[in-house]
Structures are given as structure tokens and as C-alpha cells.
Amino acid sequence: MSPLVKIRSERDRMSAVERRIADFILENAHLLRDYSSQQLANALGISQSSVVKFTQKLGFRGYPDLKYSVGETIARSEDTATAAPSGERPEDDLLGAMLWERKAQAEEATRLLNGRDTMQELSNALAAAGKVYLIGLGEDDLHARGFAMRLSLLGITAIRHADVGRMAAQVALCQPGDALVVFTEHGKHPALVKIARYFREQRGRVITVTRHTSNPVRALADVGLAVAAYDDASYVQSLIYQSTVQQLLDTVFVHLCEHDEARHARLVQNLDRIQQMLEP
């Protein structure tokens, strides 16, 4: 993992001082080679030991190792840019390229946070569940609704609500081994915390999709998917988060399709049936 990707993926879990260091490095990566640890500390108004501890927390032996690794990453990026076709592009094209790059970085960081074991555990929990309950509020409901539809196509019973009261009534009927998938970006909604806690008390399995932060909903998860999506611009950060969650769910869906031939065959049958119904 490149140091810049690692910093982005861990940023939401950092202290205030660590986030200041992280943001400076992310915004000024190409200038880092000119900064000693003391100069970086002076620029941020913090102690040199804070900079050293930050680098060690990321897994580097010290600041020089971090600086060297960032330099290598920048050099590789510049080589790629040089190899690309030259010529000016319209501003809109540059903005689009920037957004694609930010999304790719967030998706890479998120993929590394959710390893093979986590994805396999999640797939097993969904496949073994008698019923899968899904809930998300606001924009999070878009993912709950889409993922519920895909689970249904695979023959997995999926119950999705965007209303907290209706979901509270539904989960009262849950059985041991059922699964609850909670989509909540920040993981702090009190009602979702209560629903997740009750579900665990009924011996159901709680699956959460949240930012890579410590939050009340994620603390109740049997399987927690972490999303790393950060950007200075709030409107860009929201877009990056939504696209990264979608990529994560697409990966789960592929896992479910490829590890069970009967389930995959059911998907094909359901898609054919839907197509026939929609034909004039």
C-alpha cells in the first residue's frame, strides 16, 4: 500500500494533531522531500516528536522512511503522467479525471481495509441467514434498497425499510442466525444503535457499513465493513463515499455469485423472468 493511500484510509481514526499532519502531507506530498521532521513540525506548530510518532504509527521506522516512500510514490505518478498522451484538455475533463482519481484512491484504501477474510465472513453470514434485514436513512437508503434487490435476485429473503419504526417492528420477528445490514455513514443515529443492539440480543448477526471510524453502530457489528473516503471538499467527499460503498457492495455481490453455482443459476433464472415480463 502506498503511504498516501494508507494515510487517507486511516485519517478518520486519527487524533486532531495527527489529522493536521496527514492533511499537510496529502496536500503537499510533492514538497515533502524539502522538509525535515523539525521543519514540518514548525510549519504545523507542533512538536517534532509528534511527527515522529505519526510516522511510526503508520508502520515506518521514522520520518526519513516515510519521506522516501512518499517520494517514490510521487515519482511513479509523474512517470505515468509523462507516458500519457500529451495535449491540453478542457477544464471539465480535468475535473472529471480528478474525481476518477479520488474515487480510485478511496476504493483502493477501502479494499485494503476490508480483507479477504472479512469479505468471506460477510458472504457466509448473508448466505446462511434465514432472512436479511436492511436499513439506511437518507442517502444510505439508496444502498440498502439496491443491495436488497440484488439479494432477492439471488433467492435470499431481503427485508428493507427506510422507516425506523417499521424496521423496529420487523426485527421483532427475527430469528437466531438472521442478519441485519445497517448502512450509516457516521454510525451515530440513536435509533439505528437501538435496532442493532436489539438484533444482537435476539442472536441475529449485525453487519454494518460505515466510515472507518469508531462509532456506536460499528461497535455492535459482528461484521463491520469500513469505508475510507476523505476529501477537503464536502461535495466531493460525499460523492467519493457513495461510489466507494457501491464498489464494496458490488464486490460482496460477486462473492455471493461466484461461490455458489445454484445461487448463480437462480440469479440467471430471475433475470430472464424479469426480462420476459418487461418485454412488450
Side-chain angles (χ1 to χ4, degrees), residues 126 132-136 141 143-149 151 157-162 167 179-183:
L126 293 173
V132 178
Y133 299 81
L134 305 98
I135 186 168
D141 179 52
H143 296 297
R145 180 170 55 187
F147 195 54
M149 181 191 70
L151 292 179
T157 303
I159 303 169
R160 163 252 165 197
H161 285 300
M167 180 56 80
L180 169 69
V181 186
V182 183
F183 297 86

Side-chain angles (χ1 to χ4, degrees), residues 4 8 20-35 40 43-44 63 67 70 74 232:
L4 299 179
R8 287 190 188 92
R20 288 175 60 194
I21 301 173
D23 291 345
F24 184 90
I25 294 174
L26 291 173
E27 295 167 10
N28 303 280
H30 60 293
L31 300 176
L32 198 63
R33 61 187 178 187
D34 299 324
Y35 279 79
L40 177 57
L44 295 173
Y63 177 77
K67 185 165 68 170
V70 169
I74 296 297
D232 288 332

Side-chain angles (χ1 to χ4, degrees), residues 136-192:
L137 306 180
E139 285 191 331
D140 290 313
D141 179 52
L142 298 174
H143 296 297
R145 180 170 55 187
F147 195 54
M149 181 191 70
R150 289 191 171 184
L151 292 179
S152 297
L153 288 173
L154 293 174
I156 298 173
T157 303
I159 303 169
R160 163 252 165 197
H161 285 300
D163 181 271
V164 172
R166 295 182 66 182
M167 180 56 80
Q170 286 287 341
V171 298
L173 304 175
C174 70
Q175 300 292 323
D178 287 349
L180 169 69
V181 186
V182 183
F183 297 86
T184 169
E185 181 174 353
H186 300 290
K188 297 180 180 179
H189 197 291
L192 297 182

Side-chain angles (χ1 to χ4, degrees), residues 12 184-186 210-213 215 218 227 229-230 237 241:
D12 289 341
T184 169
E185 181 174 353
H186 300 290
T210 72
R211 281 191 172 277
H212 184 42
T213 59
N215 60 71
R218 190 179 178 196
V227 181
Y230 167 76
Q237 180 166 282
Y241 178 82

